[in-house]
Amino acid sequence: MNRLRDLREDRDLTQTKLAKAIGITQRKYSYIETGVQQLTESVLRSLAEYYSVSVDYLLDLTDEPTPYPKKKRGR
């Protein structure tokens, strides 16, 4: 996925550093970035939180990176 690579490179991160930050191996991250392996929900959430962008932005469904407001828990 080009957007994932672009985000990583814009922040001068290696695949190894990013993978460690989100709790996966470099190999798994490489497979995700190149499209060999699909994103799981947990990895997608981790990447969105790490980059402070929306999941839709990561999936290239929008060009607006701003994340949605977080849900308020409980009442």
Side-chain angles (χ1 to χ4, degrees), residues 39-63:
L39 280 164
T40 62
E41 181 183 338
S42 63
V43 171
L44 191 56
R45 282 177 179 245
S46 295
L47 286 167
E49 288 177 11
Y50 183 83
Y51 287 128
S52 297
V53 298
S54 71
V55 169
D56 286 350
Y57 183 75
L58 291 176
L59 295 175
D60 208 17
L61 298 173
T62 182
D63 288 330

Side-chain angles (χ1 to χ4, degrees), residues 7-25:
L7 282 166
R8 180 178 57 77
E9 289 177 349
D10 286 349
R11 288 162 176 77
D12 293 324
L13 295 168
T14 63
Q15 287 184 349
T16 302
K17 285 183 183 179
L18 179 58
K20 185 175 183 179
I22 63 169
I24 62 174
T25 66

